[in-house]
């Protein structure tokens, strides 16, 4: 080998050694970053087995990193959260390659830690085969506790609002109870008169009044159950329910108030509506808040005679309902503030009804907003119009109709 070739070789070797040192320094730097972060960095095989775990495993879940090697992460998931993860669309893993998941992970001491994990899948560029999964996990227990505390506070405020509503509806509740009690008294008096006038009266002759008394007792019991369920204190439980039935229940509770004010509630619903995902008590609370607001808005407007409750399905997965009145509407400078807590235009109002209603709708996966009212030339309900949306079960066969 000639001297120039040797010099070139030595220079090449020196360059490679310098490159190796730079790569080693970079490797050490990234390793230091991985081992120093408070988040758990891990690498997994396609079956979830740990191939690598950073030192944060010791602090977060009480495992030495080496203890996790060869262990499937899925074995440490909370069963409910593992089912949720595995039911995700395969597209999440096999096409997009990037996903985020919040779940409970079992620590070495046996308790569960709330983790939020961001994952990235790595694939062979030629075959597309899944090689491994890189995960970065952080403890979000404090955040979850804060969210739970916020939900508890909201439930307490919502319960207080229901109690306040019940106070406003006291006259209606008394009317609801007096009607069946009066009917029971009439039937009982009639039966006693028959017995007193005809001591030898056959028992079968009392079948009709006793049946009527039983019907009224059942009606009274149902109304009491309804009132008790409305004022109960409990968390929001979302399930598939009938929007029509909930609207009718809310209207029944407010009916006496509207009669006293000389106003009429008009309910216009399609002949067929899908079931919506909501809590029946929370949704009823929202509707009653909207009805009572509409009542107050209409009370001092001499031309206001009706309040309209209507509903429609927007698409295959959404239903909307609206409450419209013939009042003075919401002033332009008030429209951005009406959903804020303690904002009210009524001297005796607390300013919590709309704020709570929007929170309840959002907790049920829906929304509540102020819509543009109809122009006087286009409809009779040109006051305020509030629109709520909820997720629905399915798209029904399109029909039209009205429910009185």
């Amino acid at each position: 080998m000639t001297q120039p070739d040797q010099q070139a070789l030595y220079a090449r070797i020196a360059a490679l050694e310098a490159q190796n040192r730079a790569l080693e320094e970079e490797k050490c730097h990234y390793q230091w970053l991985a081992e120093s972060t408070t988040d758990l960095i891990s690498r997994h095989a396609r079956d979830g087995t740990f191939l690598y775990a950073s030192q944060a495993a010791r602090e977060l879940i009480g495992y030495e990193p080496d203890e996790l090697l060869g262990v499937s992460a899925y074995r440490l998931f909370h069963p409910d959260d593992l089912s949720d993860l595995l039911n995700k669309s395969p597209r999440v893993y096999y096409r997009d390659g990037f996903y985020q998941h919040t779940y409970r992970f079992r620590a070495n001491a046996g308790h569960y830690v709330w983790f939020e994990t961001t994952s990235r899948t790595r694939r062979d560029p030629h075959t597309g085969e899944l090689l491994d999964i890189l995960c970065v996990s952080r403890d979000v227990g404090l955040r979850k506790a804060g969210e739970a505390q916020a939900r508890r506070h909201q439930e307490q405020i919502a319960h207080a609002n229901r109690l306040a509503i019940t106070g406003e509806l006291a006259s209606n509740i008394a009317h609801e109870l007096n009607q069946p009690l009066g009917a029971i008294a009439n039937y009982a008096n009639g039966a006693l008169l028959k017995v007193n006038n005809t001591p030898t009266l056959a028992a079968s002759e009392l079948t009709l009044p006793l049946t009527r008394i039983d019907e009224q007792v059942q009606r009274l019991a149902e109304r009491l159950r309804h009132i008790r369920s409305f004022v109960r204190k409990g968390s929001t439980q979302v399930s598939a329910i009938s929007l029509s039935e909930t609207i009718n229940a809310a209207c029944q509770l407010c009916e006496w108030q509207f009669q006293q004010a000389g106003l009429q509630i008009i309910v216009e619903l399609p002949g067929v509506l899908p079931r919506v995902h909501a809590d029946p008590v929370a949704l009823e609370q929202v509707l009653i808040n909207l009805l009572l607001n509409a009542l107050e808005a209409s009370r001092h407007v001499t031309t206001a005679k009706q309040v309209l409750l209507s509903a429609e399905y927007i698409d295959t997965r959404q239903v909307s309902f609206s409450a419209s009145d013939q009042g003075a509407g919401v002033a332009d400078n008030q429209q951005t503030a009406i959903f804020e807590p303690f904002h009210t235009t009524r001297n005796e109002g607390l300013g919590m009804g709309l704020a709570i209603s929007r929170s309840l709708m959002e907790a049920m996966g829906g929304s509540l907003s102020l819509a543009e009212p109809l122009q006087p030339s286009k409809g009779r309900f040109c006051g305020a119009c509030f629109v709520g949306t909820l997720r629905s079960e399915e798209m029904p066969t399109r029909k039209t109709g009205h429910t009185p």
Side-chain angles (χ1 to χ4, degrees):
M1 181 181 294
T2 63
Q3 187 174 359
D5 290 340
Q6 287 181 338
Q7 290 176 344
L9 178 60
Y10 292 150
R12 178 60 176 163
I13 292 173
L16 290 174
E17 289 176 345
Q19 186 178 2
N20 283 338
R21 285 194 298 271
L23 289 173
E24 186 64 27
E25 288 177 2
E26 188 174 5
K27 173 187 172 183
C28 291
H29 176 67
Y30 284 118
Q31 186 172 2
W32 175 82
L33 288 176
E35 299 301 341
S36 300
T37 181
T38 55
D39 293 343
L40 171 60
I41 298 176
S42 56
R43 190 165 62 90
H44 302 264
R46 61 189 305 161
D47 62 356
T49 300
F50 275 93
L51 301 176
Y52 166 80
S54 67
Q55 296 297 321
R58 186 183 301 112
E59 184 69 26
L60 293 177
I61 52 177
Y63 284 100
E64 292 296 328
D66 290 345
E67 291 183 89
L68 293 172
L69 301 185
V71 176
S72 173
Y74 297 151
R75 285 175 44 197
L76 302 177
F77 269 62
H78 188 284
D80 294 343
D81 300 331
L82 177 60
S83 174
D84 183 45
L85 174 68
L86 297 181
N87 286 334
K88 281 182 179 286
S89 168
R91 173 187 173 87
V92 171
Y93 311 109
Y94 297 108
R95 295 188 184 178
D96 298 343
F98 179 84
Y99 58 98
Q100 192 173 71
H101 191 60
T102 303
Y103 58 97
R104 287 159 290 183
F105 199 76
R106 192 172 72 247
N108 198 13
H111 65 281
Y112 283 94
V113 177
W114 274 105
F115 267 176
E116 182 180 78
T117 296
T118 302
S119 303
R120 168 80 67 180
T121 56
R122 188 168 66 96
R123 298 185 171 278
D124 186 297
H126 303 294
T127 65
E129 181 182 0
L130 178 64
L131 299 176
D132 55 16
I133 306 167
L134 179 65
C135 299
V136 179
S137 308
R138 62 181 50 188
D139 185 343
V140 292
L142 288 177
R143 190 188 78 191
K144 297 293 288 187
E147 291 172 354
Q149 182 68 19
R151 282 195 300 271
R152 286 192 292 271
H153 286 166
Q154 179 177 319
E155 289 162 5
Q156 291 168 355
I157 294 171
H159 181 241
N161 178 247
R162 285 199 295 276
L163 293 177
I165 290 173
T166 306
E168 289 190 56
L169 299 175
S171 60
N172 187 35
I173 292 170
H175 178 70
E176 284 287 332
L177 301 183
N178 281 333
Q179 275 191 330
L181 286 173
I184 289 169
N186 288 336
Y187 286 122
N189 288 333
L192 286 173
L193 283 174
K194 277 190 174 185
V195 172
N196 289 334
N197 293 334
T198 311
T200 58
L201 186 71
S204 59
E205 294 294 323
L206 299 176
T207 300
L208 180 60
L210 291 176
T211 300
R212 295 290 184 263
I213 288 172
D214 180 66
E215 290 172 353
Q216 293 301 317
V217 169
Q218 295 299 325
R219 178 187 173 191
L220 179 59
E222 179 59 32
R223 300 313 298 156
L224 288 172
R225 278 195 297 270
H226 183 198
I227 294 167
R228 187 169 58 221
S229 67
F230 181 71
V231 300
R232 85 181 196 275
K233 186 176 183 180
S235 58
T236 302
Q237 301 292 333
V238 175
S239 60
I241 65 168
S242 168
L243 176 59
S244 303
E245 291 178 4
T246 309
I247 286 177
N248 289 332
C251 290
Q252 285 177 7
L253 272 181
C254 296
E255 184 179 14
W256 183 248
Q257 309 289 102
F258 276 76
Q259 288 177 1
Q260 293 295 95
L263 293 167
Q264 183 184 15
I265 303 175
I266 304 295
V267 179
E268 294 185 356
L269 304 176
V272 176
L273 267 178
R275 290 160 68 85
V276 296
H277 294 284
D279 177 277
V281 174
L283 180 55
E284 189 175 335
Q285 180 176 357
V286 171
L287 292 167
I288 291 173
N289 272 328
L290 295 179
L291 285 171
L292 293 181
N293 281 350
L295 173 64
E296 287 301 319
S298 306
R299 195 186 294 276
H300 304 297
V301 178
T302 55
T303 57
K305 302 298 181 184
Q306 297 174 329
V307 169
L308 173 66
L309 268 183
S310 61
E312 63 176 344
Y313 36 84
I314 304 171
D315 53 42
T316 56
R317 302 302 296 174
Q318 261 194 329
V319 166
S320 75
F321 63 85
S322 62
S324 306
D325 61 55
Q326 297 171 325
V330 180
D332 292 342
N333 61 350
Q334 299 285 331
Q335 292 187 6
T336 58
I338 57 173
F339 289 103
E340 294 178 3
F342 307 112
H343 176 84
T344 181
T345 56
R346 295 161 50 189
N347 292 332
E348 71 282 7
L350 296 177
M352 291 300 296
L354 286 175
I356 291 170
S357 296
R358 172 173 275 186
S359 295
L360 289 173
M361 290 296 293
E362 290 174 350
M364 294 185 287
S367 65
L368 181 66
S369 60
L370 176 67
E372 288 292 331
L374 294 174
Q375 296 300 318
S377 60
K378 295 183 179 180
R380 63 189 187 276
F381 296 98
C382 53
C385 178
F386 290 90
V387 176
T389 62
L390 290 165
R391 293 179 296 117
S392 66
E393 271 194 328
E394 59 185 7
M395 182 70 161
T397 302
R398 186 172 288 273
K399 294 181 181 179
T400 58
H402 299 291
T403 300

